[in-house]
Amino acid sequence: MPERNLVQAVRDALDEEMARDDRVCVLGQDVGLKGGVFKATEGLQSRYGAHRVLDTPLAESSIAAVAQGLSLEGFRPVAEMQFVDYSLLGFNQIVNEIAKVRYRSNGDFSCPLVIRAPTGGGVRGALYHSQSPEAFFCHVPGLKVVLPSTPRDAKGLLKAAIRDPDPVVFLEPKKLYRAERQEVADGEAALLPLGAAAVVRDGVDVTAVTYGYMRAVTAQAAARLSQDGIEVEIIDLRTLRPWDVEMCIRSIHKTGRVAVIYEANRTGGFGAEVAAELAERCFASLDAPVSRIASPDVPAMPFSPTLEHAFMLNPDKVADGLRRVARY
Amino acid sequence: MLRARALDDRRFVLNRAGKLAFIISPRGHEVAQVAAITALEPGRDRFCLYYRNFAAALACGFTAEELMLSAFARAADPSSGGRQTPGNFGSRRRGVIIGSSTVGPQIPKAAGIGLALKWKGEGALCYVSFGEGATSQGDFHEGLNFAAIHQCPVIFFCENNHWAISVPQALQVAGPGVAERAAAYGIPGVRVHGDDFFGVYAVVSEAARRARSGMGPTLIEAEVLRLQSHSTDDDQRAYRDAAELAAEAARDPIPRMRDVLIERGWLTTESDAELREQVGREVERATDAAEAAPDPNPGSLGRHVYADA
């Protein structure tokens, strides 16, 4: 099997799905000639042509709206928002239009499409290239939200998202685009189901529920805690809506303790929803309060390296948080 | 046109009687709407309608009873099963793309539908309509820009009644009007009197010919009158000049249409009366049937959120 980093895995998924199904098309600012600012669509336009890999005007609302129009006519568009921060300029189209098409037409219309966007920080992207606004989308019934953390998951879940009958917001942690390389299967063997989390580290003392770039940070924290005799079980949610609550509950029944680690601002972040649901469902199994380990409530990640560092969660901060839960 | 007017009048009575929660009237727009749709091909073309397109929806094939089911928010409302306010028309088999209640998002969506139709190459087009208020939205620019770049087969049809609720055109649209904006996109922009059925028909027919032959989009501005308040929750007498309202009421396009038809010898006073009687009976039947129809089952609240639910 070929070794791939995350952005290559995304490109492979697009390539395979475009080859498999000629209804699949890609659109967005810079996705054609340039192959995307992160190279996620590199080479696709020369392979599939300028109409199936379409450079759009720099206008996120119409990128989302055109994708919707194509979908309503039977195509399977994959729209790229250059940064998820920019997707807010298309928020009305995503939330009020795309997400509600099936519901508001009582099932007469549907709108299968994928909106891909790089998310998260730690790359000196500053306030408008570093945000983690996944909670905005997770709040919307009608959308599915995926946020993978490995090349294998990115490929398998993007292929599934393209085939899904409902609209999917597919968020790619940009800090991981060129981090880990992994052997990634080709074709149908790569497919992964939406909505299934994965236990990525076994442990008996505390459950750490996380996703995206925080998975790697949590893994480093867990390795340190292991030296202190604290064994952390890490669950990578992979899909945020619908999320795999049952897998989390099973783990909590074993550990009796849980922390949710997420890169977004603490208040109202998706991890807050996870914490609330697990507190409600697992109250009798818990030996410690459900804890959130998240980024501070400042508007976004500053440009200065010292301020960026101060904002970001790191293995120290996560280890401290997990230790508090383990020793409560 | 008569059917739309008669149904609308009945809906107002039912609203004031407390039986219908909310209505948006097409009064004053009917001639322009029916003329535009008549120039197109329901069943072949796509239609992104907006909330004032009650007469256009009838012209696209919705029946009086279906629109009354929607007004009563009944389970059998074909657009949304009682989920949306009446005015958000949708029917896949008729090519009417389900609408929503924010202003303007259908404009770039129509550009996307137009792109798909261009790719399919079957000569179908997408018609999208909106009021002049919607032209203030960024989506208006984004939609026209995209459709013009890709020469999408789209007809942008602005029904300019000069009032967006209480905000007059002078505070809404800079410059001489909407049609002139087409020049910025390098596409034809045409202004037409919305009470001139044959004028609107000719302009939309030409736009359709261009669209079907690969010549791209057209922006049409039909000047119409808003003879009723924005909605049943609004009273335009509070912010519009009484003399102006009276003058506009005297220019109601439906009697003018009748006069034109009689002049041309295509209608007689007798056949006009007969038509009105027939429409009246139809409205009675539609109202009775819709009022008696069942509400949506509360258990259906969670249906159609996703494909599997």
Side-chain angles (χ1 to χ4, degrees):
Chain A
M1 282 190 289
E3 285 226 328
R4 289 285 186 264
N5 64 28
L6 198 148
V7 74
Q8 290 167 333
V10 166
R11 186 168 60 228
D12 288 350
L14 293 171
D15 193 356
E16 287 181 8
E17 291 306 297
M18 292 185 81
R20 180 189 63 83
D21 181 350
D22 61 13
R23 299 172 305 164
V24 178
C25 54
V26 167
L27 68 156
Q29 157 86 21
D30 291 315
V31 299
L33 273 179
K34 183 175 167 69
V37 293
F38 290 99
K39 301 288 179 201
T41 56
E42 191 174 40
L44 295 180
Q45 194 182 60
S46 57
R47 181 165 303 178
Y48 297 103
H51 75 285
R52 282 186 73 193
V53 184
L54 183 73
D55 271 325
T56 63
L58 199 172
E60 287 78 8
S61 184
S62 61
I63 292 172
V66 167
Q68 185 191 357
L70 293 170
S71 173
L72 289 167
E73 287 297 325
F75 292 91
R76 290 297 189 117
V78 183
E80 177 175 302
M81 298 288 172
Q82 203 158 73
F83 290 86
V84 71
D85 317 56
Y86 304 170
S87 72
L88 301 189
L89 285 103
F91 203 55
N92 183 61
Q93 288 289 348
I94 298 170
V95 172
N96 272 329
E97 299 296 315
I98 291 168
K100 293 177 177 59
V101 164
R102 188 187 293 281
Y103 193 76
R104 73 173 192 254
S105 68
N106 205 22
D108 194 22
F109 288 88
S110 64
C111 189
L113 57 79
V114 178
I115 293 172
R116 291 182 42 247
T119 190
V123 296
R124 300 292 315 284
L127 277 71
Y128 297 98
H129 309 85
S130 304
Q131 295 178 59
S132 296
E134 64 273 11
F136 293 165
F137 301 108
C138 291
H139 188 62
V140 182
L143 294 180
K144 296 183 178 180
V145 182
V146 179
L147 210 167
S149 66
T150 67
R152 214 174 281 156
D153 289 353
K155 182 173 182 183
L157 293 168
L158 182 53
K159 286 170 70 80
I162 291 169
R163 299 179 191 195
D164 198 86
D166 288 301
V168 180
V169 175
F170 193 90
L171 302 173
E172 301 158 7
K174 64 178 83 72
K175 188 165 173 69
L176 298 178
Y177 267 152
R178 291 175 175 79
E180 181 192 10
R181 292 174 71 87
Q182 221 178 25
E183 285 195 339
V184 183
D186 286 327
E188 300 304 292
L191 267 177
L192 289 169
L194 301 186
V199 174
V200 298
R201 185 184 194 283
D202 289 320
V204 292
D205 298 315
V206 56
T207 299
V209 180
T210 189
Y211 54 91
Y213 170 54
M214 285 303 118
R215 169 185 166 171
V217 174
T218 304
Q220 290 177 56
R224 291 183 197 179
L225 291 174
S226 181
Q227 292 165 7
D228 302 339
I230 299 169
E231 293 303 334
V232 180
E233 178 144 299
I234 302 176
I235 294 176
D236 181 352
L237 289 178
R238 306 196 290 188
T239 300
L240 306 186
R241 186 179 184 114
W243 65 283
D244 194 345
V245 62
E246 298 305 328
M247 180 175 283
C248 298
I249 290 172
R250 282 196 297 276
S251 177
I252 292 167
H253 285 163
K254 181 167 69 172
T255 62
R257 293 161 198 273
V258 60
V260 189
I261 299 109
Y262 55 105
E263 188 178 330
N265 307 118
R266 177 181 173 91
T267 300
F270 182 68
E273 170 65 24
V274 173
E277 184 74 19
L278 294 177
E280 193 172 324
R281 303 271 300 267
C282 301
F283 185 71
S285 311
L286 287 166
D287 300 321
V290 178
S291 175
R292 283 175 291 162
I293 304 171
S295 295
D297 282 326
V298 301
M301 200 175 292
F303 186 48
S304 142
T306 57
L307 293 175
E308 183 183 71
H309 180 76
F311 181 101
M312 288 286 288
L313 289 179
N314 57 35
D316 288 339
K317 294 179 190 174
V318 174
D320 286 350
L322 288 170
R323 191 178 283 112
R324 273 199 299 277
V325 175
R327 295 197 172 147
Y328 179 84
Chain B
M1 289 169 255
L2 278 181
R3 187 182 287 124
R5 178 63 62 89
L7 276 166
D8 188 54
D9 286 346
R10 176 58 59 89
R11 295 192 308 168
F12 257 78
V13 171
L14 292 166
N15 170 265
R16 295 309 186 226
K19 289 188 172 182
L20 299 184
F22 179 76
I23 292 301
I24 291 188
S25 169
R27 183 175 277 255
H29 292 231
E30 298 96 331
V31 169
Q33 291 179 10
V34 175
I37 304 301
T38 305
L40 303 173
E41 297 181 37
R44 180 190 189 198
D45 295 328
R46 309 292 189 271
F47 299 87
C48 294
L49 303 180
Y50 82 116
Y51 49 76
R52 207 172 296 286
N53 277 152
F54 189 71
L58 286 165
C60 284
F62 282 89
T63 66
E65 183 175 330
E66 287 176 332
L67 294 186
M68 273 299 181
L69 286 165
S70 158
F72 279 99
R74 299 304 193 217
D77 156 31
S79 292
S80 80
R83 289 172 172 198
Q84 295 212 90
T85 47
N88 294 300
F89 309 99
S91 169
R92 214 148 85 94
R93 70 186 173 87
R94 296 187 177 113
V96 178
I97 309 299
I98 186 71
S100 71
S101 298
T102 62
V103 172
Q106 74 274 24
I107 300 172
K109 188 195 310 173
I113 292 170
L115 182 65
L117 296 175
K118 179 183 158 187
W119 287 351
K120 290 180 183 176
E122 295 160 2
L125 61 81
C126 183
Y127 169 90
V128 55
S129 50
F130 44 89
E132 86 284 358
T135 67
S136 301
Q137 296 278 11
D139 271 354
F140 172 78
H141 163 66
E142 293 193 27
L144 268 76
N145 187 47
F146 190 96
I149 288 170
H150 292 283
Q151 293 291 289
C152 300
V154 180
I155 299 175
F156 296 98
F157 192 81
C158 176
E159 299 177 23
N160 183 358
N161 63 24
H162 313 288
W163 291 89
I165 308 186
S166 66
V167 178
Q169 180 170 343
L171 297 178
Q172 187 75 246
V173 181
V178 174
E180 286 76 5
R181 295 182 175 182
Y185 306 103
I187 64 172
V190 188
R191 182 174 294 113
V192 61
H193 290 295
D195 61 355
D196 173 6
F197 182 94
F198 301 101
V200 173
Y201 181 87
V203 163
V204 176
S205 297
E206 170 59 11
R209 185 192 67 74
R210 289 179 56 86
R212 295 192 207 287
S213 57
M215 294 168 76
T218 301
L219 172 63
I220 298 168
E221 177 183 9
E223 293 199 276
V224 292
L225 302 174
R226 197 182 81 190
L227 299 180
Q228 186 52 273
S229 299
H230 166 70
S231 73
T232 45
D233 291 346
D234 176 43
D235 183 352
Q236 63 179 347
R237 291 172 302 182
Y239 52 82
R240 290 189 65 183
D241 181 64
E244 182 188 304
L245 285 175
E248 287 194 1
R251 289 166 52 208
D252 187 334
I254 288 189
R256 289 161 77 95
M257 180 76 195
R258 178 199 54 204
D259 295 346
V260 168
L261 292 176
I262 289 175
E263 234 170 72
R264 292 193 177 210
W266 296 352
L267 188 74
T268 61
T269 9
E270 294 74 39
S271 56
D272 179 51
E274 213 172 283
L275 263 179
R276 282 165 197 271
E277 208 173 292
Q278 187 188 318
V279 162
R281 284 195 300 271
E282 199 182 323
V283 170
E284 285 303 327
R285 279 197 304 273
T287 307
D288 291 347
E291 196 168 5
D295 285 324
N297 183 338
S300 71
L301 178 71
R303 287 204 67 207
H304 303 304
V305 179
Y306 295 101
D308 54 3

